[in-house]
Amino acid sequence: MSENLSRRAFGKTVGAAALTSSALSASKASALPQASPAQPRDSFYQFPSGFLWGCATAAYQIEGGAKEGGRGPSIWDTFSHIPGKVHNNDTGDVADDDFHRYKEDIQLLKSLGARIYRFSVSWPRIFPDGNGAPNPQGIDFYSRVVDELLSNGIEPFCTLFHWDLPQALQDRVGGWQSRETSQAFGQYAGYVASKLSDRVHHFFTMNEFSSFIDLGYRDGRFAPGLKLAPAELNQTRHNAVLAHGLAVQAIRAQGKPGTKVGLAENLVIPIPVIEAEPHLKASVQATRVLNAQYLTVIMEGKYVDEYLRQAGPAAPKYTAEDLKIISSPLDFVGMNVYTPTYVRADDSSMGFAVVNPPSSYPHMASPWLNIGPEALYWAPRHVNQIWNVQELYVTENGCSSADVLAPDGHVYDTDRVMFLRNYLISLHRAVAENIPVRGYFLWSLMDNFEWADGYGLRFGLYYVDYATQKRIPKLSAHFYRTVIERNAIL
Ligand code: PNW
């Protein structure tokens, strides 16, 4: 059973914190109204009313039910069952068992006060064979999830591809190495939109191109575990952005009028080493060049010269028609924001240089997760200013911590609270500067299958005891609930 997010458990802690901060500031003049020691203070970091707060998850990471409801295998089923590919040889066979517990999990969202929820549809639940005849039980499951969300006052945002490619397509045509997969994705996207867009108003085509292509087809660390040469890799990237464009068109053709389409991309987020010219200019140029293969071609309908020049004979082959499809206009852009990439001005033909972090740079439990709160300011600022995007969402932000259950049954993830508080303060800066960020999805609602790290790394607001499937709210869940309730960072 889920635990309620009652204030009682953390009441003492919260009271103590309030007392300390009032005592400290009592001696200082403050622009903010003074609150009595027992009362929470007003926050400087107040969000505009109507700002949407929520959480994100993905099908393979939470659902389980791998062989139920007519679901076909995905490349992640195959990959995770190969010994040595995933930490501890963990698989998503059961995961959080959300396939059976989705009602309980929606109550977790409700206890946080979440207004929006980003979930993903498992392609092989809908088309067990990749394409051909849909499996009616598949769409029924998501239809029930959507109804349950709506009846709890939570708006569903649906991701169509969060990496669980049908194994049938990998076997038949080589997955994203083939344009046939791009075509099949368009058909699948149109079908889901035709069934859910009466109730789901926002669709994301893809989640994080670089993660499933670069880690899956270049480094071999993610499914399908390939290490392609540069020319094949660039063609695979091209097929993936083409699939995105075909899906945008299919959703517009088959979804209800007014259905909004975008994507959830973990763009490289260049941050000027010092917030002054000429580094500011360098960070803008870096954003376009470092995202050339994915977001830039989608937004501009063109591969930037720097990329084509660098790729040389390994550049992808494409037609003008491909570029038109890839750059089909979007209604919004979703950004998955984790780590910063510091850049400085440079005399090279690129106009910028990436500054690699020193070995002392701090990171969270995932070694790649360098802490850079400003990323949550710069990602929306760059995307809004470079491509004039007028509707933005933070589709993921959050972190892994070495969470432990304390003897009193709680999880005191103070590092996650520190991480979130600082990132959200940067997000507040963006919103305060009128950059049109409409909502924020925290990754993740609950601990789940963290891809090649299996269940070894935890990103949830709720701790999941995998032996019992019990969900336990961490300190960060209480923090986030307070943020949502006050619509402010404290
Ligand atoms: C994202 N990296 O993945 C995904 O969208 C989620 O499914 C995932 O659970 C979350 O972030 C946390 O990792 C990434 O190695 C996975 O740089 C790996 C990397 C980045 C993002």
Side-chain angles (χ1 to χ4, degrees):
M1 276 302 290
S2 69
E3 286 212 351
N4 234 347
L5 266 183
S6 86
R7 269 181 201 278
R8 260 175 293 145
F10 286 99
K12 266 196 189 144
T13 329
V14 170
L19 264 179
T20 316
S21 68
S22 330
L24 281 176
S25 48
S27 56
K28 286 191 198 149
S30 163
L32 292 170
Q34 298 285 310
S36 83
Q39 288 298 310
R41 290 172 161 271
D42 283 345
S43 170
F44 179 75
Y45 302 111
Q46 187 72 44
F47 277 68
S49 72
F51 188 85
L52 298 167
W53 298 101
C55 294
T57 62
Y60 190 72
Q61 296 182 269
I62 64 165
E63 283 179 5
K67 295 197 171 147
E68 292 177 63
R71 180 183 179 277
S74 79
I75 57 172
W76 270 96
D77 294 281
T78 309
F79 187 75
S80 64
H81 279 268
I82 301 171
K85 296 294 185 192
V86 173
H87 167 81
N88 196 36
N89 291 327
D90 291 339
T91 75
D93 290 359
V94 177
D96 292 340
D97 194 34
D98 170 83
F99 185 66
H100 299 109
R101 296 169 194 260
Y102 67 92
K103 289 191 178 169
E104 178 190 333
D105 293 337
I106 289 170
Q107 289 312 307
L108 305 181
L109 284 162
K110 198 171 177 182
S111 345
L112 294 169
R115 290 264 312 277
I116 50 176
Y117 176 53
R118 173 176 171 243
F119 67 99
S120 85
V121 170
S122 158
W123 184 351
R125 275 198 197 285
I126 310 293
F127 289 100
D129 208 28
N131 54 11
N135 160 39
Q137 291 179 71
I139 201 73
D140 280 357
F141 169 64
Y142 295 105
S143 196
R144 281 183 273 123
V145 169
V146 164
D147 287 342
E148 186 71 14
L149 286 164
L150 290 171
S151 67
N152 282 282
I154 300 164
E155 168 111 24
F157 282 58
C158 173
T159 309
L160 291 160
F161 186 70
H162 204 123
W163 312 350
D164 41 1
L165 183 78
Q167 181 65 40
L169 286 169
Q170 190 64 41
D171 295 343
R172 259 201 323 271
V173 301
W176 295 113
Q177 283 186 260
S178 166
R179 289 169 77 99
E180 286 182 51
T181 298
S182 319
Q183 300 288 351
F185 183 65
Q187 286 155 17
Y188 152 70
Y191 175 78
V192 174
S194 76
K195 297 289 181 188
L196 298 184
S197 64
D198 55 339
R199 289 155 291 154
V200 176
H201 306 305
H202 296 80
F203 287 89
F204 306 99
T205 56
M206 300 281 184
N207 182 70
E208 298 196 355
F209 290 103
S210 67
S211 298
F212 72 89
I213 301 283
D214 296 17
L215 302 181
Y217 289 80
R218 182 193 62 195
D219 303 343
R221 284 172 44 211
F222 278 14
L226 301 177
K227 293 184 179 177
L228 300 182
E232 291 167 285
L233 180 67
N234 285 330
Q235 204 61 48
T236 304
R237 290 171 166 145
H238 180 77
N239 294 338
V241 287
L242 179 67
H244 153 83
L246 289 167
V248 173
Q249 298 190 346
I251 294 165
R252 298 224 188 281
Q254 294 180 57
K256 293 265 179 291
T259 302
K260 291 191 170 188
V261 193
L263 79 176
E265 175 60 340
N266 62 330
L267 65 157
V268 176
I269 305 167
I271 297 182
V273 276
I274 296 171
E275 208 170 304
E277 290 294 6
H279 308 297
L280 280 163
K281 199 168 152 215
S283 73
V284 169
Q285 165 73 349
T287 302
R288 293 184 59 243
V289 173
L290 298 176
N291 294 293
Q293 301 134 331
Y294 305 123
L295 193 57
T296 307
V297 70
I298 288 172
M299 302 312 293
E300 302 186 7
K302 191 176 172 301
Y303 286 115
V304 299
D305 297 339
E306 290 85 346
Y307 165 55
L308 293 178
R309 202 167 47 233
Q310 265 189 1
K317 312 255 178 301
Y318 54 89
T319 64
E321 178 60 18
D322 284 0
L323 294 179
K324 253 173 74 187
I325 296 169
I326 291 167
S327 58
S328 301
L330 300 178
D331 298 296
F332 60 84
V333 168
M335 300 156 294
N336 292 359
V337 179
Y338 291 97
T339 62
T341 297
Y342 291 102
V343 300
R344 60 173 173 80
D346 183 66
D347 305 331
S348 66
S349 62
M350 290 285 212
F352 69 89
V354 170
V355 178
N356 288 321
S359 62
S360 56
Y361 199 97
H363 63 79
M364 300 301 293
S366 307
W368 57 267
L369 217 176
N370 281 353
I371 302 167
E374 324 90 278
L376 208 37
Y377 167 72
W378 284 99
R381 172 166 161 173
H382 284 318
V383 174
N384 168 249
Q385 292 191 352
I386 298 173
W387 297 301
N388 190 28
V389 178
Q390 292 302 325
E391 186 170 341
L392 295 162
Y393 293 91
V394 176
T395 33
E396 285 184 24
N397 173 241
C399 65
S400 47
S401 299
D403 296 319
V404 283
L405 267 179
D408 66 4
H410 293 303
V411 178
Y412 296 98
D413 55 341
T414 50
D415 57 342
R416 182 176 285 104
V417 173
M418 175 278 291
F419 178 100
L420 292 172
R421 180 182 283 122
N422 283 284
Y423 273 71
L424 289 173
I425 286 173
S426 277
L427 177 63
H428 179 270
R429 179 181 173 201
V431 169
E433 290 180 16
N434 292 318
I435 296 166
V437 184
R438 305 290 179 223
Y440 170 92
F441 297 88
L442 197 149
W443 184 273
S444 180
L445 173 63
M446 54 192 168
D447 296 337
N448 57 48
F449 178 79
E450 177 55 13
W451 307 112
D453 293 315
Y455 300 101
L457 285 176
R458 295 172 178 272
F459 274 79
L461 291 175
Y462 283 83
Y463 182 93
V464 175
D465 176 342
Y466 293 105
T468 61
Q469 290 295 348
K470 193 174 152 123
R471 282 81 158 117
I472 299 160
K474 303 176 192 176
L475 177 65
S476 54
H478 294 267
F479 167 76
Y480 194 45
R481 190 196 56 165
T482 312
V483 166
I484 296 176
E485 187 176 278
R486 310 246 324 248
N487 199 28
I489 314 309
L490 302 154

